[in-house]
Amino acid sequence: RRIQSDLFISIHADAFTRPDANGSSVFALSESGASSSAARYLAQKENEADLVGGVNLDVKDPMLARTLLDLSQTATISDSLKLGKAVLNEIGGINRLHKEHVEQAGFAVLKAPDIPSILIETAFISNPEEERRLNDDAYQNKMADAIISGIRKYFAKNPPLAKSKLARLD
């Protein structure tokens, strides 16, 4: 938010108790709970380790502030799902997909109400074959290229809004 980002992407390696779990996944925020029990488990595990930044609404009426926040969050989730689908379509060419659609869960890192945000699980580090690929530079580059390609396809259809001032890295 400080640098006026157009997107937020959190990239992870998944893990599960069974070594045969495999595939890549993309998640967007859910307002109504997780899209699966696995998504709920993963969100709970990740949220224990993450801190969430808030948004300051300069509105005195709490009901108006809540309404504005809800409208912003609904639009942002819609954009996050579009971004997630574009990225998922690209990473599906690199690794088997754990789910064929963008999943939704209450990840704390995805809760910015004004920045389209996704969480990518690149592969299962608890799966010996996928762990080997995750450690391979060529696989990492292919995954990075696929993510970038998905972002570019998303922006081609959904250009970012003009910012009121230039982003600065201090």
Side-chain angles (χ1 to χ4, degrees):
R1 187 168 290 112
R2 182 178 56 79
I3 62 169
Q4 300 182 346
S5 298
D6 294 312
L7 301 175
F8 175 82
I9 299 175
S10 184
I11 302 174
H12 299 254
D14 210 342
F16 196 64
T17 56
R18 294 179 39 200
D20 60 335
N22 64 80
S24 299
S25 303
V26 176
F27 290 85
L29 182 65
S30 170
E31 289 181 295
S32 59
S35 57
S36 71
S37 58
R40 189 169 28 262
Y41 169 79
L42 187 59
Q44 180 181 354
K45 185 177 72 168
E46 293 291 340
N47 288 348
E48 290 170 0
D50 291 319
L51 297 174
V52 184
V55 173
N56 181 16
L57 290 175
D58 191 20
V59 177
K60 304 295 183 236
D61 181 345
M63 184 175 263
L64 177 59
R66 183 72 215 158
T67 301
L68 291 172
L69 198 60
D70 285 348
L71 288 170
S72 178
Q73 186 108 73
T74 299
T76 300
I77 289 173
S78 175
D79 285 339
S80 297
L81 288 167
K82 291 175 191 172
L83 170 63
K85 183 175 183 188
V87 170
L88 190 70
N89 287 342
E90 296 299 312
I91 64 175
I94 305 304
N95 195 26
R96 178 191 160 303
L97 295 178
H98 190 67
K99 298 275 185 182
E100 296 290 325
H101 60 276
V102 177
E103 294 190 80
Q104 290 186 264
F107 288 107
V109 297
L110 301 180
K111 291 189 176 180
D114 54 343
I115 302 169
S117 304
I118 59 172
L119 186 144
I120 301 168
E121 295 288 0
T122 56
F124 279 81
I125 199 164
S126 55
N127 177 307
E129 174 61 26
E130 289 196 351
E131 178 189 19
R132 184 190 61 72
R133 277 186 292 190
L134 285 167
N135 282 307
D136 178 65
D137 289 345
Y139 178 83
Q140 291 174 14
N141 288 333
K142 285 180 187 176
M143 183 61 71
D145 289 344
I147 293 168
I148 291 167
S149 179
I151 292 168
R152 286 186 175 132
K153 287 182 178 179
Y154 167 78
F155 276 140
K157 292 181 181 176
N158 306 278
L161 297 173
K163 303 293 183 187
S164 59
K165 39 187 161 165
L166 294 174
R168 289 183 36 200
L169 295 174
D170 294 328

